[in-house]
Amino acid sequence: MKKILAFGLASLLIFTSCKPAKNDTETKIDALLSRMTLEEKIGQMNQSSSYGSIEDMRMMIKKGEVGSILNEIDPDRINALQHVAVEESRLGIPLLIARDVIHGFKTIFPIPLGQAATFDPFVVEKSARIAAIEASSVGIRWTFAPMIDIARDPRWGRIAEGCGEDPYLTSVMGAAMVKGFQGDSMNLPTSIAACAKHFVGYGAVEGGRDYNSTFIPEHLLRNVYLPPFEAAVKAGVATFMTSFNDNNGVPSTGNSFILKEVLRKEWHFDGFVVSDWNSVGEMVNHGFAADYKDAARIAANAGVDMEMVSATYMKYLPELVKEGKVKEAVINDAVRNILRIKYRLGLFDHPYVDVNRKSIMYTQEHLECAKRISEESVILLKDDKHVLPLKSSVHTIAIVGPMADAPYEQMGTWAFDGDSAHTVTPLEAIREVYGNQVKVLYEPGLAYSRDKNLQGIVKAVTVASQADVILAFVGEEAILSGEAHCLADLNLQGAQSQLIAALAKTGKPVVTIVMAGRPLTIGKEVDESAAVLYSFHPGTMGGPAIADLLFGKAVPSGKTPVTFPKMVGQIPIYYAHHRIGRPATRNETLIDRIPLYAGQTSLGCTSFYMDAGFDPLFPFGYGLSYTTFKFSNIKLSATQLKKGDMLTVTFDLKNTGSYGGTEVAQLYVQDKVGSVTRPVKELKRFKRVNLLPGEKKTVVFELPVSELAFYNMNEEKMVEPGDFGLWVADDSQNGKELPFKVKF
Ligand code: BGC
């Protein structure tokens, strides 16, 4: 008997000591939770948008009916509201103040698509850190970024907000942004909680129409759309936001598979999930919930911890709990998740913002970082006559086009707080920095990008005819991309195309600089121009960055983070498409070469458009420099690899031209045979390499065999043994294939 007792006691001790000890924060959360009424708990799950006077909001906060407020940016008001929460509400739980700080708060960095074009996670992290420093200085402690939706359809206006088409590039950049926003510790007053959004699949909306449905099978979801979100969890992201779309018939805000199975069980995420704006209520519009009460029940049970603005939780959760339709345990879990982040942010210890601090907006350091990232984000698409950089033989330049001096437009979408008075445009920068070197003529030709008035073009041509080189700044106003700003036509808007055509007719070399929120179908303008620079809306310091690139003080190094289509009809077009049975070859017969009465099968029965062929205008990863680079001596550490091995790829990269420059070396892999068809290529590594003229460096990529894994039809992630191809190149289409094998 004694023995049995002793055994029982021992196993109890072992059992107790195996249970993870609760850390300090979890103990505090439990203690606080035990004191909360159901209504106070539901209050924490409610996010309200700032409205009206403080008095209006005071009562709600005092009663504990608000956990978070979005869109407050005045530090005095934020402190006043926080005082009510901390000192006048029963439990004194601080508010979490949120704002969309997407690519900068005051100092505006390039739109995220431009940041992705840098292929430089270091500078991306730095710009997110600066955004956090500026935003937190007014009391914002939570941003709804990074947006890491894979987007393969430039008609979708929100392509501007993400990192483009590739899961690996998006994963690296998203993780860098998370680290930048959240800093070394979220507890620092300069750190803000990040939010991985929009979970998930939103970038695949049908036809690129915002808010539309998606139909993504699970293995595609897992191989393409989920990886950036998993990378964000690994980077420590504090919060997630559900997306507006329904995937395979289930709106994300009511999707317990993605929110519970994947996010919590597989990835062990312990932060909280917020709905998108009104997306709980919109489940009624989807026809997925019968009414708002039903919507609240579905969202809470699916795992949405906090509701953004629709307030169905406030209204219906109390009765849903009483009716047993939502268990109080569900509410407790949600509140725990929310309080955990509030503790991690240190809000209980330092809830207020110091209103007497020195302003840190637009500091020299912030502007320099903004200039550097803008510079790195610009992509040189064409310069075959070497017009760029502008030579000393150029004495007069004509600056033309609606984007040359458009301070507001160059900030791009989601620049709520950026002040265009601080923006430096290309016209200003060129005049200021290079005005004593060249004579600058300016005639915009069009007042804004949608301007269809042809009168100004005549004036612009007259002025341009007097110059040695024409710099034509075209593109999109900020309003033409972003949320709910989709387009079916991706040609240059207004009369911009006529403007370029008229300038080209002068016979003077035309350098076209595009500033836009997405890739545009600019094949005609590329043909008419001697050189083309593409800048996804470059932000506050876009002007000085572009000026230095034009005059050769800086050398372009950006690469396309998304495929540029020739025509809208080619969309979706992306490099990592699956292998098919009848791929097109270079010899496809295009429409004008098809003879009359040609036989039905005479075109060869392969996959291409008779009017657009199969290849894009510019592939993923593409971008030129003023100098040239040569890859050589590419060696693999082994050509037969086993599970657990590391493949080391070594190569030499030489600057073979006469300018110092930076090449983005890219490593792609193809899995030759799979249990499901596999992409033709997948980006696995990239590195920016700086080289002086004539300089050669040996570069090393390390790729663990485990990173060749993918999800098969049974949703199992595994490396399938067999043959692989590998490329090291300057874009997704170049390079020589090297074979290797994986054997188990
Ligand atoms: C957008 C989110 C954004 C939220 C709050 C929504 O309409 O989809 O990306 O964070 O509004 O402003």
Side-chain angles (χ1 to χ4, degrees):
M1 182 66 180
K2 257 189 186 168
K3 260 190 187 166
I4 298 174
L5 263 181
F7 176 75
L9 198 64
S11 48
L12 187 73
L13 278 174
I14 291 168
F15 178 74
T16 330
S17 59
C18 284
K19 250 178 103 182
K22 277 214 166 155
N23 65 30
D24 204 25
T25 308
E26 297 304 311
T27 312
K28 283 182 191 160
I29 293 171
D30 283 347
L32 184 51
L33 200 65
S34 69
R35 294 169 56 213
M36 293 170 82
T37 64
L38 178 63
E39 284 67 25
E40 283 165 337
K41 290 177 188 173
I42 294 168
Q44 284 303 306
M45 297 167 72
N46 183 35
Q47 183 181 52
S48 182
S49 186
S50 151
Y51 61 88
S53 69
I54 290 183
E55 280 316 309
D56 290 341
M57 300 178 77
R58 188 177 214 118
M59 279 322 290
M60 273 184 84
I61 299 171
K62 196 170 167 179
K63 283 195 263 164
E65 291 177 353
V66 195
S68 170
I69 290 179
L70 77 157
N71 295 338
E72 269 298 345
I73 53 160
D74 173 4
D76 292 318
R77 264 179 74 103
I78 288 175
N79 273 349
L81 295 172
Q82 197 66 290
H83 272 288
V84 180
V86 173
E87 283 154 31
E88 297 178 31
S89 77
R90 193 178 74 89
L91 294 170
I93 303 174
L95 295 164
L96 177 49
I97 306 294
R99 179 73 161 168
D100 289 280
V101 180
I102 307 297
H103 52 110
F105 181 59
K106 288 288 178 187
T107 305
I108 300 297
F109 301 98
I111 55 170
L113 193 57
Q115 298 198 23
T118 66
F119 281 65
D120 186 350
F122 171 80
V123 75
V124 166
E125 179 177 334
K126 185 143 194 244
S127 63
R129 182 91 285 271
I130 290 172
I133 290 169
E134 291 191 355
S136 61
S137 77
V138 303
I140 294 162
R141 295 301 308 282
W142 180 20
T143 178
F144 302 124
M147 193 273 228
I148 43 179
D149 295 312
I150 297 301
R152 296 175 163 182
D153 191 334
R155 291 172 297 183
W156 190 47
R158 301 200 82 167
I159 197 170
E161 294 174 52
C163 297
E165 72 182 43
D166 187 66
Y168 178 69
L169 178 62
T170 304
S171 299
V172 173
M173 293 308 192
M177 290 177 196
V178 169
K179 287 185 199 144
F181 288 131
Q182 297 189 173
D184 292 336
S185 155
M186 281 216 304
N187 201 320
L188 295 170
T190 56
S191 289
I192 62 178
C195 180
K197 74 183 188 185
H198 306 84
F199 201 50
V200 61
Y202 188 25
V205 282
E206 268 194 334
R209 289 182 297 276
D210 212 354
Y211 313 124
N212 236 281
S213 298
T214 60
F215 298 93
I216 311 172
E218 192 181 327
H219 75 284
L220 188 63
L221 194 70
R222 287 183 178 277
N223 285 326
V224 174
Y225 294 90
L226 288 175
F229 289 93
E230 188 175 6
V233 173
K234 286 189 179 143
V237 72
T239 70
F240 261 60
M241 184 190 291
T242 60
S243 57
F244 285 125
N245 59 300
D246 64 306
N247 188 42
N248 301 329
V250 183
S252 300
T253 304
N255 190 334
S256 60
F257 168 68
I258 57 163
L259 297 176
K260 287 190 171 158
E261 292 304 313
V262 176
L263 183 59
R264 300 285 176 190
K265 288 202 190 136
E266 292 180 26
W267 298 347
H268 309 292
F269 173 67
D270 71 354
F272 74 87
V273 175
V274 65
S275 75
D276 202 344
W277 184 285
N278 200 32
S279 71
V280 176
E282 284 167 21
M283 285 199 287
V284 176
N285 299 355
H286 275 282
F288 192 75
D291 50 30
Y292 288 149
K293 181 172 171 185
D294 202 26
R297 175 186 65 79
I298 294 171
N301 285 333
V304 175
D305 303 314
M306 184 181 279
E307 180 184 20
M308 192 189 285
V309 305
S310 31
T312 68
Y313 278 10
M314 280 304 291
K315 200 151 177 210
Y316 299 109
L317 277 185
E319 59 190 79
L320 283 164
V321 171
K322 277 172 202 129
E323 289 164 10
K325 291 183 179 148
V326 175
K327 299 221 159 45
E328 188 150 1
V330 168
I331 308 289
N332 288 344
D333 280 349
V335 177
R336 269 199 194 94
N337 295 335
I338 295 165
L339 293 178
R340 189 173 297 122
I341 298 305
K342 290 192 175 182
Y343 274 111
R344 283 188 190 155
L345 282 164
L347 282 171
F348 285 88
D349 299 328
H350 40 87
Y352 305 114
V353 53
D354 174 8
V355 286
N356 296 319
R357 84 225 163 277
K358 214 168 109 234
S359 173
I360 43 77
M361 311 299 182
Y362 304 110
T363 62
Q364 191 59 23
E365 188 200 346
H366 298 184
L367 295 175
E368 271 163 22
C369 176
K371 177 167 178 253
R372 172 168 168 201
I373 188 167
S374 302
E375 228 167 69
E376 291 187 9
S377 75
V378 177
I379 308 159
L380 180 65
L381 294 177
K382 176 181 178 182
D383 188 25
D384 41 12
K385 296 197 187 78
H386 305 293
V387 177
L388 291 180
L390 296 173
K391 310 288 173 310
S392 53
S393 53
V394 171
H395 301 296
T396 307
I397 57 169
I399 297 184
V400 181
M403 296 297 287
D405 194 29
Y408 175 77
E409 312 305 348
Q410 80 180 49
M411 290 197 295
T413 187
W414 285 114
F416 283 162
D417 303 297
D419 179 356
S420 59
H422 285 262
T423 303
V424 187
T425 67
L427 177 70
E428 287 167 345
I430 292 171
R431 275 187 175 147
E432 191 189 320
V433 184
Y434 299 97
N436 54 4
Q437 195 174 313
V438 286
K439 184 169 170 203
V440 178
L441 309 174
Y442 174 57
E443 186 58 56
L446 298 166
Y448 54 99
S449 71
R450 286 167 295 159
D451 187 359
K452 293 189 177 126
N453 187 345
L454 303 179
Q455 313 261 294
I457 296 185
V458 181
K459 278 205 243 163
V461 168
T462 312
V463 169
S465 308
Q466 301 158 33
D468 301 318
V469 171
I470 303 165
L471 305 180
F473 290 85
V474 293
E476 293 182 312
E477 292 146 69
I479 195 68
L480 296 182
S481 60
E483 183 176 352
H485 295 94
C486 303
L487 286 169
D489 179 358
L490 300 183
N491 290 330
L492 286 171
Q493 294 289 328
Q496 296 183 100
S497 194
Q498 287 99 310
L499 174 65
I500 302 282
L503 294 171
K505 278 207 192 108
T506 62
K508 306 277 176 163
V510 177
V511 176
T512 297
I513 303 100
V514 186
M515 291 189 202
R518 54 160 73 76
L520 294 169
T521 47
I522 48 163
K524 178 173 157 290
E525 292 74 27
V526 170
D527 288 345
E528 289 164 345
S529 310
V532 180
L533 281 172
Y534 209 94
S535 170
F536 295 109
H537 290 131
T540 305
M541 293 298 280
I546 291 171
D548 280 358
L549 289 166
L550 289 167
F551 284 85
K553 194 166 166 210
V555 174
S557 59
K559 297 277 182 176
T560 51
V562 62
T563 304
F564 277 52
K566 286 186 214 160
M567 290 186 200
V568 164
Q570 290 181 302
I571 297 169
I573 183 165
Y574 52 93
Y575 85 94
H577 60 84
H578 277 216
R579 293 176 66 189
I580 56 165
R582 295 183 176 189
T585 62
R586 295 269 145 211
N587 303 322
E588 83 270 33
T589 311
L590 293 188
I591 199 150
D592 293 334
R593 287 174 37 224
I594 303 174
L596 274 182
Y597 311 117
Q600 181 172 325
T601 56
S602 62
L603 303 188
C605 298
T606 61
S607 177
F608 68 96
Y609 293 103
M610 288 181 291
D611 50 357
F614 68 92
D615 51 358
L617 184 60
F618 298 107
F620 175 86
Y622 173 86
L624 305 168
S625 170
Y626 296 151
T627 188
T628 45
F629 300 98
K630 188 163 181 280
F631 291 82
S632 65
N633 220 5
I634 305 171
K635 287 198 191 110
L636 310 191
S637 56
T639 51
Q640 305 257 358
L641 293 136
K642 296 186 304 299
K643 228 187 207 164
D645 279 355
M646 174 72 82
L647 172 63
T648 306
V649 182
T650 316
F651 57 96
D652 292 334
L653 186 56
K654 185 171 181 189
N655 182 341
T656 48
S658 45
Y659 295 89
T662 303
E663 177 61 293
V664 179
Q666 302 162 42
L667 186 153
Y668 294 88
V669 164
Q670 183 191 58
D671 188 348
K672 292 284 171 190
V673 182
S675 61
V676 289
T677 60
R678 305 284 297 123
V680 291
K681 275 183 188 176
E682 290 176 288
L683 181 69
K684 292 289 180 188
R685 288 289 180 273
F686 59 82
K687 197 177 267 177
R688 289 175 61 89
V689 185
N690 307 322
L691 292 164
L692 297 169
E695 191 184 6
K696 182 165 91 178
K697 278 184 186 162
T698 300
V699 185
V700 180
F701 281 133
E702 294 208 308
L703 182 66
V705 167
S706 58
E707 287 195 38
L708 301 171
F710 65 95
Y711 284 90
N712 63 20
M713 274 302 181
N714 303 323
E715 317 311 346
E716 296 151 342
K717 189 176 184 186
M718 51 176 62
V719 181
E720 292 185 353
D723 289 319
F724 289 80
L726 179 147
W727 295 257
V728 172
D730 56 347
D731 69 34
S732 61
Q733 303 306 307
N734 280 338
K736 189 169 152 280
E737 183 176 349
L738 295 170
F740 71 94
K741 264 186 203 308
V742 173
K743 278 190 167 181
F744 291 161

